[in-house]
Amino acid sequence: MDNNIESMERLIYSFSKLPGVGRKTAERYAYRVLELDDDTVSTFAKSLVDAKSKIHFCSVCGNFTEADICNICKSRKSSIICVVKEPKDILAIEKAKNSNYLYHVLHGTISPMENRGPNDIRIKELLGRLDGVTEVILATNPDIEGEVTANYIAKLLKPLDIKCSRLATGIQMGSDLQYADEVTLTKALEDRKEM
Amino acid sequence: MDNNIESMERLIYSFSKLPGVGRKTAERYAYRVLELDDDTVSTFAKSLVDAKSKIHFCSVCGNFTEADICNICKSRKSSIICVVKEPKDILAIEKAKNSNYLYHVLHGTISPMENRGPNDIRIKELLGRLDGVTEVILATNPDIEGEVTANYIAKLLKPLDIKCSRLATGIQMGSDLQYADEVTLTKALEDRKEM
């Protein structure tokens, strides 16, 4: 049956471009599409094209927006800038309680392996936004590239007398000690807090 | 940030129509769409509309097809008809070795709970296809509705002297006994095979 229905195969192929979607999941999605009514499917198609054509980067922070400046930059006042690797990291941080920061999206991290240096990500743009800023939270991922990038930026900010911070790493809330990996556990012990 | 970018929200909403896709996964998919290039996204949109508009049911077996009669009905000769609930079940059975049957899609099962009787699914169409058929494999799911439907059809076929069979149930291949549920295990013991 595979590849016998051409339009079905093309749809399955499109779905398999999504993250974590293999052949089997793509097939399930494609079959569901055939069960949806015509209007829902055309709305789906339109929403793909619309999102792609209307959304671009905020000229200030680099987040996704339909306008020139994103809603956060437009409406929020804060002297704290939270620096992230990608726009979707903003979504994650916004879900945390009391996060009322401004953001700065680097659109990447420094990666010698992938030949990406400090000039290939939006560090210069960050330096241009520091007027009135009291703290920069370096919220890049706690992996090698994220650490390198955070350290690099922290070093640049040091002479400017701006507080630099990094998200705390440690055992995940609600998790089980026995499932924590060695590196996390070592770090959590090193960074233990007095009670 | 949620719902601030309207076209993004609509895309997330569309993705959440897919089976097993909640808000978080839909967000991940939507963010990936923004990373894809324009052509890929418009192909994706087109493949949705195309599949939905071009694919309909085979007039013989009820499987999905772009033509009047599906490829299996057109090209395959067999005296065995495998009866399934939905078109996607065909995909599953085709993946089994040596499956070279004709199919018949019921488009549902008998379900008193949902007020669906024998006349609401394609049983009459099955009865009209039995010329030259030697065996009917009742491959509805091994759940209550699937069993009821299979039994109902088997009773109809009895006087016609056509062999009726049902997929074997039992412990899953490659699985671990301790994870098998009670009902499956009971059935597997009842149906034990001499070696």
Side-chain angles (χ1 to χ4, degrees):
Chain A
M1 161 92 180
D2 286 13
N3 55 41
N4 278 342
I5 310 183
E6 210 194 308
S7 53
M8 189 70 165
E9 276 307 307
R10 273 189 313 231
L11 182 55
I12 292 170
Y13 178 76
S14 281
F15 274 126
S16 63
K17 300 261 175 184
L18 298 173
V21 175
R23 168 92 201 171
K24 216 161 176 172
T25 307
E27 278 174 5
R28 255 177 86 214
Y29 290 172
Y31 274 101
R32 173 60 57 89
V33 167
L34 298 182
E35 289 164 17
L36 297 171
D37 59 65
D38 286 355
D39 279 355
T40 310
V41 176
S42 63
T43 306
F44 194 161
K46 193 169 171 304
S47 67
L48 279 166
V49 175
D50 267 12
K52 184 64 190 169
S53 63
K54 289 186 183 164
I55 298 176
H56 47 258
F57 299 133
C58 168
S59 60
V60 178
C61 72
N63 188 11
F64 286 128
T65 177
E66 284 184 0
D68 177 42
I69 293 177
C70 78
N71 280 310
I72 295 179
C73 286
K74 215 183 301 178
S75 61
R76 204 174 278 180
K77 296 274 164 272
S78 172
S79 63
I80 305 178
I81 290 188
C82 182
V83 175
V84 295
K85 180 185 171 195
E86 299 171 287
K88 62 182 159 212
D89 296 328
I90 295 181
L91 199 67
I93 292 177
E94 284 288 293
K95 280 175 184 163
K97 263 190 199 146
N98 309 323
S99 57
N100 198 29
Y101 317 112
L102 292 176
Y103 293 95
H104 188 83
V105 183
L106 296 173
H107 289 296
T109 39
I110 297 172
S111 169
M113 294 280 286
E114 293 179 32
N115 230 334
R116 213 164 37 236
N119 293 327
D120 299 318
I121 60 175
R122 297 178 68 251
I123 293 183
K124 216 170 17 177
E125 288 84 345
L126 174 65
L127 299 180
R129 289 182 64 191
L130 296 178
D131 211 22
V133 169
T134 55
E135 178 177 356
V136 171
I137 304 174
L138 295 160
T140 49
N141 294 328
D143 53 16
I144 294 178
E145 297 181 359
E147 293 288 337
V148 167
T149 309
N151 286 328
Y152 182 90
I153 297 175
K155 228 175 256 173
L156 287 179
L157 301 185
K158 196 131 224 178
L160 305 179
D161 201 29
I162 293 174
K163 185 176 160 192
C164 261
S165 57
R166 185 101 178 92
L167 291 185
T169 53
I171 318 280
Q172 234 180 321
M173 290 297 292
S175 71
D176 197 320
L177 269 197
Q178 58 182 310
Y179 297 122
D181 65 285
E182 224 176 278
V183 182
T184 301
L185 216 47
T186 308
K187 197 82 171 58
L189 282 165
E190 276 173 24
D191 295 349
R192 63 189 180 277
K193 284 171 61 179
E194 208 171 327
M195 297 181 57
Chain B
M1 156 93 180
D2 285 13
N3 54 38
N4 277 342
I5 309 181
E6 210 194 308
S7 52
M8 190 70 165
E9 276 309 305
R10 274 188 314 235
L11 182 55
I12 292 170
Y13 178 76
S14 282
F15 274 126
S16 63
K17 300 261 175 184
L18 298 173
V21 175
R23 169 92 200 171
K24 214 161 176 174
T25 307
E27 278 173 5
R28 255 178 85 215
Y29 290 171
Y31 274 102
R32 174 59 57 89
V33 168
L34 298 182
E35 290 163 16
L36 297 172
D37 59 64
D38 287 354
D39 279 354
T40 309
V41 176
S42 62
T43 306
F44 195 161
K46 194 171 170 303
S47 67
L48 278 166
V49 175
D50 266 13
K52 184 63 190 167
S53 64
K54 288 187 184 166
I55 298 176
H56 47 256
F57 299 133
C58 168
S59 59
V60 177
C61 72
N63 189 9
F64 287 128
T65 178
E66 284 184 1
D68 177 43
I69 293 177
C70 77
N71 280 311
I72 295 179
C73 286
K74 216 183 302 178
S75 61
R76 204 173 277 180
K77 295 275 164 273
S78 172
S79 63
I80 305 178
I81 290 187
C82 183
V83 175
V84 295
K85 180 184 171 196
E86 300 172 288
K88 63 182 159 211
D89 297 328
I90 295 180
L91 199 66
I93 292 177
E94 284 288 293
K95 280 174 184 163
K97 263 191 198 145
N98 308 323
S99 57
N100 199 30
Y101 317 111
L102 293 177
Y103 293 95
H104 188 83
V105 184
L106 295 173
H107 290 295
T109 39
I110 297 172
S111 169
M113 294 280 285
E114 292 179 33
N115 229 335
R116 211 163 41 235
N119 293 326
D120 300 319
I121 60 175
R122 297 178 69 251
I123 293 182
K124 219 172 12 178
E125 287 85 344
L126 174 64
L127 299 179
R129 289 182 64 193
L130 297 178
D131 211 23
V133 169
T134 55
E135 178 176 356
V136 171
I137 304 174
L138 296 159
T140 51
N141 293 329
D143 53 16
I144 294 179
E145 298 182 358
E147 293 287 338
V148 167
T149 309
N151 285 328
Y152 182 90
I153 298 175
K155 227 175 254 173
L156 288 179
L157 300 185
K158 196 134 223 173
L160 305 179
D161 200 27
I162 293 174
K163 186 174 161 191
C164 261
S165 58
R166 184 103 178 90
L167 292 185
T169 54
I171 317 281
Q172 233 180 323
M173 290 297 292
S175 71
D176 197 321
L177 268 196
Q178 57 181 310
Y179 297 123
D181 64 286
E182 224 174 278
V183 181
T184 301
L185 217 45
T186 309
K187 198 80 169 63
L189 282 165
E190 275 173 21
D191 296 349
R192 66 190 179 276
K193 282 172 63 179
E194 208 170 325
M195 298 180 56

